[in-house]
Structures are given as structure tokens and as C-alpha cells.
Amino acid sequence: QVQLVESGGGLAQAGGSLRLSCAASGRTFWTYAMAWFRQAPGKEREFVAAISVGKIPGYADSVKGRFTIARDNAKNTVYLQMNSLNPEDTAVYYCAAGYYSGSDPLSYDYWGQGTQVTVSS
């Protein structure tokens, strides 16, 4: 069992930036692919970004060029740097861990509790 705790969410203005963090418990963080998903009210959970054990990133088209995913295995932490935010980025953001990297939420075995990101116009 891997426990994931997101932080860094909050309020931002359109065009602004936020940096989300996901801290993982346990000593096997380095064995997992990590990802960020988001879910807005009334919408399905949406893939945002993923990073493999080898630190190869992948992004949804909607965030490519604006968001950057990174991981620090020594700190058991994955980050999501979000720049050029717009109101459409408003959602609860979830951190996920799994054995395979991909855009399908079913690929991930462990999930954090989520952190709210709200972007105002």
C-alpha cells in the first residue's frame, strides 16, 4: 500500500502559476510510474501528465507546453509545475502511482486524496 498526499493547490489568477507536490510514503517510490489527473465538477477524471520510473514525461494536449511534471526519487515526491493557468484548469488534481505509465486511470493502483486548484478570470 502506497500513500500519496497532494499539496500546493489553491487559488490562482488567470495567467498565473502553481506548483503541486505529491509526497509518497514507503521506500519503493522509485519503482512506480507517477501521474496527475484532474476532475472538474460534472466531468470525468482527465489525464494531465505522467512520468515513468526513468523520468520520461508525457502530457495531455490541453496542458502540453504549460505544465511540467518532474520527480525527485530521493524525496519520494512528484511535482506538477503549472504555468499560464486559465479557468479551464480549475479542478481537483489527483496524484496517482502505478506499475505502468499511461493516460488511462485504470493503469494506476494508488491515488491521493486530491487538492483543489481554482483559477479565476
Side-chain angles (χ1 to χ4, degrees):
Q1 184 71 34
V2 176
Q3 291 181 293
L4 305 173
V5 180
E6 301 96 335
S7 63
L11 302 176
Q13 299 181 54
S17 298
L18 286 173
R19 187 174 182 87
L20 305 183
S21 298
C22 174
S25 65
R27 63 194 71 179
T28 58
F29 172 80
W30 61 272
T31 68
Y32 292 96
M34 303 295 296
W36 290 94
F37 291 78
R38 65 188 183 187
Q39 188 166 25
K43 297 185 178 180
E44 295 182 359
R45 189 161 296 188
E46 175 189 26
F47 171 74
V48 176
I51 188 164
S52 70
V53 171
K55 299 184 179 180
I56 305 301
Y59 301 95
D61 289 341
S62 60
V63 306
K64 193 171 185 178
R66 299 189 299 123
F67 292 8
T68 302
I69 189 170
R71 67 190 295 162
D72 186 338
N73 291 338
K75 297 181 67 175
N76 283 194
T77 302
V78 64
Y79 304 95
L80 185 68
Q81 178 67 45
M82 304 185 295
N83 298 326
S84 301
L85 287 164
N86 59 63
E88 289 70 42
D89 296 316
T90 295
V92 176
Y93 283 69
Y94 297 91
C95 179
Y99 288 114
Y100 298 97
S101 178
S103 61
D104 188 342
L106 295 177
S107 298
Y108 298 91
D109 303 300
Y110 306 102
W111 294 82
Q113 83 290 345
T115 185
Q116 177 71 47
V117 171
T118 302
V119 184
S120 62
S121 300

Coordinates of all heavy atoms in Angstrom, one line a residue, residues 20-81:
L20 N 2.2 22.0 -7.7 CA 1.7 21.0 -6.9 C 2.8 20.0 -6.5 O 3.7 19.7 -7.3 CB 0.5 20.2 -7.6 CG -0.6 21.1 -8.2 CD1 -1.7 20.2 -8.8 CD2 -1.2 21.9 -7.1
S21 N 2.6 19.4 -5.3 CA 3.5 18.4 -4.9 C 2.7 17.2 -4.5 O 1.6 17.3 -4.0 CB 4.4 18.9 -3.7 OG 5.2 19.9 -4.1
C22 N 3.3 16.0 -4.6 CA 2.7 14.7 -4.2 C 3.8 14.0 -3.4 O 4.8 13.5 -4.0 CB 2.2 13.9 -5.4 SG 1.6 12.3 -5.0
A23 N 3.6 13.8 -2.1 CA 4.5 13.1 -1.3 C 4.1 11.7 -1.1 O 2.9 11.5 -0.7 CB 4.7 13.8 0.0
A24 N 4.9 10.7 -1.3 CA 4.6 9.3 -1.2 C 5.3 8.7 0.0 O 6.4 9.0 0.3 CB 5.1 8.6 -2.5
S25 N 4.5 7.8 0.6 CA 5.1 7.1 1.7 C 5.7 5.8 1.2 O 5.5 5.4 0.1 CB 4.0 6.7 2.7 OG 3.0 5.9 2.2
G26 N 6.5 5.2 2.0 CA 7.2 3.9 1.7 C 8.5 4.1 1.1 O 9.0 5.2 0.7
R27 N 9.2 3.0 0.9 CA 10.6 3.0 0.4 C 10.7 2.5 -1.0 O 11.8 2.4 -1.5 CB 11.4 2.1 1.3 CG 11.0 0.7 1.4 CD 11.7 -0.1 2.5 NE 11.1 0.4 3.8 CZ 11.5 -0.1 5.0 NH1 12.4 -1.0 5.1 NH2 10.9 0.3 6.1
T28 N 9.6 2.3 -1.7 CA 9.6 1.8 -3.1 C 9.1 2.8 -4.1 O 8.6 2.4 -5.2 CB 8.9 0.5 -3.2 OG1 7.5 0.7 -2.8 CG2 9.5 -0.6 -2.3
F29 N 9.1 4.1 -3.8 CA 8.6 5.1 -4.7 C 9.2 5.0 -6.0 O 8.6 5.2 -7.1 CB 8.8 6.5 -4.0 CG 8.5 7.6 -5.0 CD1 7.2 8.1 -5.1 CD2 9.5 8.3 -5.6 CE1 6.9 9.1 -6.0 CE2 9.3 9.4 -6.4 CZ 7.9 9.8 -6.6
W30 N 10.5 4.7 -6.1 CA 11.3 4.7 -7.3 C 10.8 3.6 -8.3 O 11.2 3.7 -9.5 CB 12.8 4.6 -7.0 CG 13.1 3.3 -6.3 CD1 13.1 3.1 -5.0 CD2 13.5 2.0 -6.9 NE1 13.5 1.8 -4.7 CE2 13.7 1.1 -5.9 CE3 13.6 1.6 -8.2 CZ2 14.0 -0.2 -6.1 CZ3 14.0 0.3 -8.5 CH2 14.2 -0.6 -7.4
T31 N 10.0 2.7 -7.8 CA 9.6 1.6 -8.7 C 8.3 1.9 -9.4 O 7.8 1.1 -10.2 CB 9.4 0.3 -7.8 OG1 8.2 0.4 -6.9 CG2 10.6 0.0 -7.0
Y32 N 7.7 3.0 -9.1 CA 6.4 3.4 -9.7 C 6.4 4.5 -10.7 O 7.2 5.5 -10.6 CB 5.4 3.8 -8.6 CG 5.0 2.7 -7.6 CD1 5.7 2.6 -6.4 CD2 4.0 1.9 -7.9 CE1 5.4 1.6 -5.5 CE2 3.7 0.9 -7.0 CZ 4.4 0.7 -5.8 OH 4.0 -0.3 -5.0
A33 N 5.6 4.3 -11.8 CA 5.3 5.4 -12.6 C 4.3 6.3 -11.9 O 3.5 5.8 -11.1 CB 4.6 4.9 -13.9
M34 N 4.4 7.6 -12.1 CA 3.5 8.6 -11.4 C 2.8 9.4 -12.4 O 3.2 9.6 -13.5 CB 4.4 9.5 -10.5 CG 5.2 8.8 -9.5 SD 4.3 7.9 -8.2 CE 3.4 9.3 -7.4
A35 N 1.6 9.9 -12.0 CA 0.8 10.7 -12.9 C 0.0 11.7 -12.1 O -0.3 11.5 -10.9 CB -0.1 9.8 -13.7
W36 N -0.5 12.7 -12.8 CA -1.5 13.6 -12.3 C -2.8 13.5 -13.2 O -2.7 13.5 -14.4 CB -1.0 15.0 -12.4 CG 0.1 15.3 -11.4 CD1 1.4 15.3 -11.6 CD2 -0.1 15.7 -10.0 NE1 2.1 15.6 -10.4 CE2 1.2 15.9 -9.5 CE3 -1.2 16.0 -9.2 CZ2 1.4 16.3 -8.1 CZ3 -1.0 16.4 -7.9 CH2 0.3 16.5 -7.4
F37 N -3.9 13.5 -12.5 CA -5.2 13.6 -13.2 C -6.0 14.7 -12.5 O -5.6 15.2 -11.5 CB -6.0 12.3 -13.0 CG -5.4 11.1 -13.8 CD1 -4.3 10.4 -13.3 CD2 -6.0 10.7 -15.0 CE1 -3.8 9.3 -14.0 CE2 -5.5 9.6 -15.7 CZ -4.4 8.9 -15.2
R38 N -7.0 15.2 -13.2 CA -7.8 16.2 -12.6 C -9.3 15.9 -13.0 O -9.6 15.2 -13.9 CB -7.5 17.6 -13.1 CG -7.7 17.8 -14.6 CD -7.1 19.1 -15.1 NE -7.3 19.4 -16.5 CZ -6.8 20.4 -17.1 NH1 -6.0 21.3 -16.5 NH2 -7.1 20.6 -18.4
Q39 N -10.2 16.4 -12.1 CA -11.6 16.2 -12.3 C -12.3 17.5 -11.9 O -12.3 17.9 -10.8 CB -12.1 15.0 -11.5 CG -13.5 14.6 -11.8 CD -13.9 13.3 -11.3 OE1 -13.3 12.8 -10.3 NE2 -14.8 12.6 -11.9
A40 N -13.1 18.0 -12.8 CA -13.9 19.2 -12.6 C -15.3 18.7 -12.3 O -15.7 17.6 -12.7 CB -13.9 20.1 -13.8
P41 N -16.1 19.5 -11.6 CA -17.5 19.1 -11.2 C -18.3 18.7 -12.5 O -18.3 19.4 -13.5 CB -18.1 20.3 -10.6 CG -16.9 21.0 -10.0 CD -15.8 20.8 -11.0
G42 N -18.9 17.5 -12.4 CA -19.8 17.1 -13.5 C -19.0 16.5 -14.7 O -19.6 16.2 -15.7
K43 N -17.7 16.4 -14.6 CA -16.9 15.9 -15.7 C -16.1 14.6 -15.3 O -16.0 14.4 -14.1 CB -15.9 16.9 -16.2 CG -16.6 18.2 -16.8 CD -15.6 19.1 -17.4 CE -16.2 20.3 -18.0 NZ -15.3 21.3 -18.6
E44 N -15.7 13.9 -16.3 CA -14.9 12.7 -16.0 C -13.5 13.1 -15.6 O -13.0 14.1 -15.9 CB -14.8 11.8 -17.2 CG -16.2 11.2 -17.6 CD -16.1 10.3 -18.8 OE1 -14.9 10.1 -19.4 OE2 -17.1 9.7 -19.3
R45 N -12.9 12.1 -14.9 CA -11.5 12.3 -14.5 C -10.6 12.4 -15.8 O -10.7 11.5 -16.6 CB -11.0 11.2 -13.6 CG -9.6 11.5 -12.9 CD -9.4 10.6 -11.7 NE -10.4 11.0 -10.6 CZ -10.3 10.5 -9.4 NH1 -9.4 9.7 -9.1 NH2 -11.2 10.9 -8.5
E46 N -9.7 13.3 -15.8 CA -9.0 13.6 -17.0 C -7.5 13.5 -16.8 O -7.0 14.0 -15.8 CB -9.3 15.0 -17.5 CG -8.5 15.5 -18.7 CD -8.8 17.0 -19.0 OE1 -9.1 17.7 -18.0 OE2 -8.6 17.4 -20.2
F47 N -6.8 12.8 -17.7 CA -5.4 12.7 -17.6 C -4.7 14.1 -17.8 O -5.1 14.8 -18.7 CB -4.9 11.7 -18.7 CG -3.4 11.7 -18.8 CD1 -2.6 11.1 -17.9 CD2 -2.8 12.3 -19.9 CE1 -1.2 11.0 -18.0 CE2 -1.4 12.3 -20.1 CZ -0.6 11.6 -19.1
V48 N -3.7 14.3 -17.1 CA -2.9 15.6 -17.2 C -1.5 15.3 -17.6 O -1.0 15.9 -18.6 CB -3.0 16.4 -15.8 CG1 -2.1 17.6 -16.0 CG2 -4.4 16.7 -15.4
A49 N -0.8 14.5 -16.8 CA 0.6 14.3 -17.1 C 1.0 13.0 -16.4 O 0.5 12.6 -15.4 CB 1.5 15.5 -16.7
A50 N 2.1 12.4 -16.9 CA 2.7 11.2 -16.3 C 4.2 11.2 -16.5 O 4.7 11.9 -17.4 CB 2.1 9.9 -16.9
I51 N 4.8 10.5 -15.6 CA 6.3 10.4 -15.7 C 6.7 9.0 -15.3 O 6.2 8.4 -14.3 CB 7.0 11.5 -14.8 CG1 8.5 11.4 -15.0 CG2 6.7 11.3 -13.3 CD1 9.2 12.7 -14.5
S52 N 7.5 8.4 -16.1 CA 7.9 7.0 -15.9 C 9.0 6.9 -14.8 O 9.5 7.9 -14.3 CB 8.4 6.4 -17.2 OG 9.7 7.0 -17.5
V53 N 9.3 5.7 -14.4 CA 10.4 5.4 -13.5 C 11.7 6.0 -14.0 O 12.5 6.6 -13.3 CB 10.6 3.9 -13.2 CG1 11.9 3.6 -12.4 CG2 9.4 3.4 -12.5
G54 N 11.9 6.0 -15.3 CA 13.0 6.6 -16.0 C 12.9 8.0 -16.2 O 13.8 8.6 -16.9
K55 N 11.9 8.7 -15.7 CA 11.7 10.1 -15.8 C 11.4 10.6 -17.2 O 11.7 11.8 -17.5 CB 12.9 10.9 -15.2 CG 13.2 10.6 -13.8 CD 14.4 11.4 -13.2 CE 14.6 11.1 -11.8 NZ 15.7 12.0 -11.2
I56 N 10.7 9.8 -18.0 CA 10.2 10.2 -19.3 C 8.8 10.7 -19.1 O 7.9 10.0 -18.6 CB 10.2 9.0 -20.2 CG1 11.6 8.4 -20.3 CG2 9.7 9.5 -21.6 CD1 12.7 9.3 -20.8
P57 N 8.6 12.0 -19.4 CA 7.3 12.6 -19.2 C 6.3 12.4 -20.4 O 6.7 12.2 -21.5 CB 7.6 14.1 -19.0 CG 8.8 14.3 -19.9 CD 9.6 13.0 -19.9
G58 N 5.0 12.5 -20.1 CA 4.0 12.6 -21.1 C 2.9 13.5 -20.7 O 2.6 13.6 -19.5
Y59 N 2.3 14.2 -21.6 CA 1.3 15.2 -21.3 C 0.0 15.1 -22.1 O 0.1 14.7 -23.3 CB 1.9 16.6 -21.5 CG 3.1 16.9 -20.6 CD1 4.4 16.7 -21.2 CD2 3.0 17.4 -19.3 CE1 5.5 17.0 -20.4 CE2 4.1 17.6 -18.6 CZ 5.4 17.4 -19.1 OH 6.5 17.6 -18.4
A60 N -1.1 15.6 -21.5 CA -2.3 15.8 -22.3 C -2.1 17.0 -23.2 O -1.4 17.9 -22.9 CB -3.5 16.0 -21.4
D61 N -2.7 16.9 -24.4 CA -2.5 18.0 -25.3 C -3.0 19.4 -24.7 O -2.5 20.4 -25.1 CB -3.3 17.7 -26.6 CG -2.7 16.7 -27.5 OD1 -1.5 16.4 -27.3 OD2 -3.4 16.1 -28.3
S62 N -4.0 19.3 -23.8 CA -4.5 20.5 -23.3 C -3.5 21.3 -22.4 O -3.7 22.4 -22.1 CB -5.8 20.2 -22.5 OG -5.6 19.3 -21.5
V63 N -2.5 20.6 -21.9 CA -1.6 21.2 -20.9 C -0.2 21.2 -21.5 O 0.7 21.9 -20.9 CB -1.6 20.5 -19.6 CG1 -3.0 20.5 -19.0 CG2 -1.0 19.1 -19.6
K64 N 0.1 20.6 -22.6 CA 1.4 20.5 -23.1 C 2.0 21.9 -23.4 O 1.3 22.7 -24.0 CB 1.5 19.6 -24.4 CG 2.9 19.3 -24.8 CD 2.8 18.2 -26.0 CE 4.2 17.8 -26.4 NZ 4.1 16.7 -27.4
G65 N 3.2 22.2 -23.0 CA 3.8 23.5 -23.1 C 3.5 24.4 -22.0 O 4.2 25.4 -21.9
R66 N 2.5 24.1 -21.1 CA 2.2 24.9 -20.0 C 2.6 24.2 -18.7 O 3.0 24.9 -17.7 CB 0.7 25.2 -20.0 CG 0.3 26.0 -21.2 CD -1.2 26.5 -21.0 NE -2.1 25.4 -20.8 CZ -2.9 25.3 -19.8 NH1 -2.9 26.2 -18.8 NH2 -3.8 24.3 -19.7
F67 N 2.4 22.9 -18.6 CA 2.6 22.2 -17.4 C 3.9 21.3 -17.5 O 4.2 20.8 -18.6 CB 1.5 21.2 -17.1 CG 0.2 21.9 -16.7 CD1 0.0 23.3 -16.8 CD2 -0.9 21.1 -16.2 CE1 -1.2 23.9 -16.4 CE2 -2.1 21.7 -15.8 CZ -2.2 23.1 -15.9
T68 N 4.6 21.1 -16.4 CA 5.8 20.3 -16.4 C 5.7 19.3 -15.2 O 5.5 19.8 -14.1 CB 7.0 21.1 -16.3 OG1 7.1 22.0 -17.4 CG2 8.3 20.2 -16.4
I69 N 5.9 18.0 -15.5 CA 5.9 17.0 -14.4 C 7.3 16.6 -14.2 O 8.2 16.6 -15.1 CB 5.0 15.8 -14.8 CG1 4.9 14.9 -13.6 CG2 5.6 15.1 -16.0 CD1 3.9 13.8 -13.8
A70 N 7.7 16.4 -12.9 CA 9.0 16.0 -12.5 C 8.9 15.2 -11.3 O 7.9 15.2 -10.6 CB 9.9 17.3 -12.3
R71 N 10.0 14.4 -11.0 CA 10.0 13.6 -9.8 C 11.4 13.7 -9.2 O 12.4 13.8 -9.8 CB 9.6 12.2 -10.1 CG 10.6 11.4 -11.0 CD 10.0 10.0 -11.4 NE 9.8 9.2 -10.3 CZ 9.0 8.1 -10.3 NH1 8.3 7.8 -11.4 NH2 8.9 7.3 -9.2
D72 N 11.4 13.6 -7.9 CA 12.6 13.6 -7.1 C 12.5 12.3 -6.2 O 11.9 12.2 -5.2 CB 12.7 14.8 -6.2 CG 14.0 14.9 -5.4 OD1 14.7 13.8 -5.3 OD2 14.4 16.0 -5.0
N73 N 13.2 11.2 -6.7 CA 13.1 9.9 -6.1 C 13.7 10.0 -4.7 O 13.2 9.2 -3.8 CB 13.7 8.9 -6.9 CG 13.0 8.6 -8.2 OD1 11.8 8.8 -8.3 ND2 13.7 8.0 -9.2
A74 N 14.7 10.8 -4.5 CA 15.3 10.9 -3.1 C 14.4 11.5 -2.1 O 14.5 11.2 -0.9 CB 16.6 11.7 -3.2
K75 N 13.4 12.3 -2.6 CA 12.5 12.9 -1.7 C 11.1 12.2 -1.7 O 10.2 12.7 -1.1 CB 12.3 14.4 -2.0 CG 13.6 15.2 -1.8 CD 13.3 16.7 -2.1 CE 12.4 17.3 -1.1 NZ 12.3 18.8 -1.3
N76 N 11.0 11.2 -2.5 CA 9.7 10.5 -2.7 C 8.6 11.4 -3.1 O 7.5 11.4 -2.5 CB 9.3 9.7 -1.4 CG 10.1 8.4 -1.2 OD1 9.7 7.6 -0.3 ND2 11.2 8.2 -1.9
T77 N 8.9 12.3 -4.0 CA 7.9 13.4 -4.4 C 7.9 13.6 -5.9 O 8.9 13.5 -6.6 CB 8.4 14.7 -3.7 OG1 8.4 14.5 -2.3 CG2 7.4 15.8 -4.0
V78 N 6.7 13.8 -6.3 CA 6.4 14.2 -7.7 C 5.8 15.5 -7.7 O 5.0 15.9 -6.9 CB 5.6 13.1 -8.5 CG1 4.2 13.0 -7.9 CG2 5.5 13.4 -10.0
Y79 N 6.1 16.3 -8.7 CA 5.7 17.7 -8.8 C 4.9 17.9 -10.1 O 5.2 17.3 -11.1 CB 6.9 18.7 -8.8 CG 7.8 18.5 -7.6 CD1 8.9 17.7 -7.7 CD2 7.5 19.2 -6.4 CE1 9.7 17.5 -6.6 CE2 8.3 19.0 -5.3 CZ 9.4 18.2 -5.4 OH 10.2 18.0 -4.3
L80 N 4.1 18.9 -10.1 CA 3.4 19.4 -11.3 C 3.5 20.9 -11.3 O 2.8 21.6 -10.5 CB 2.0 19.0 -11.4 CG 1.2 19.3 -12.7 CD1 1.8 18.6 -13.9 CD2 -0.3 19.1 -12.6
Q81 N 4.4 21.5 -12.1 CA 4.5 22.9 -12.3 C 3.5 23.3 -13.3 O 3.5 22.9 -14.5 CB 5.9 23.3 -12.8 CG 6.1 24.8 -13.0 CD 6.0 25.6 -11.7 OE1 6.6 25.2 -10.7 NE2 5.3 26.7 -11.8

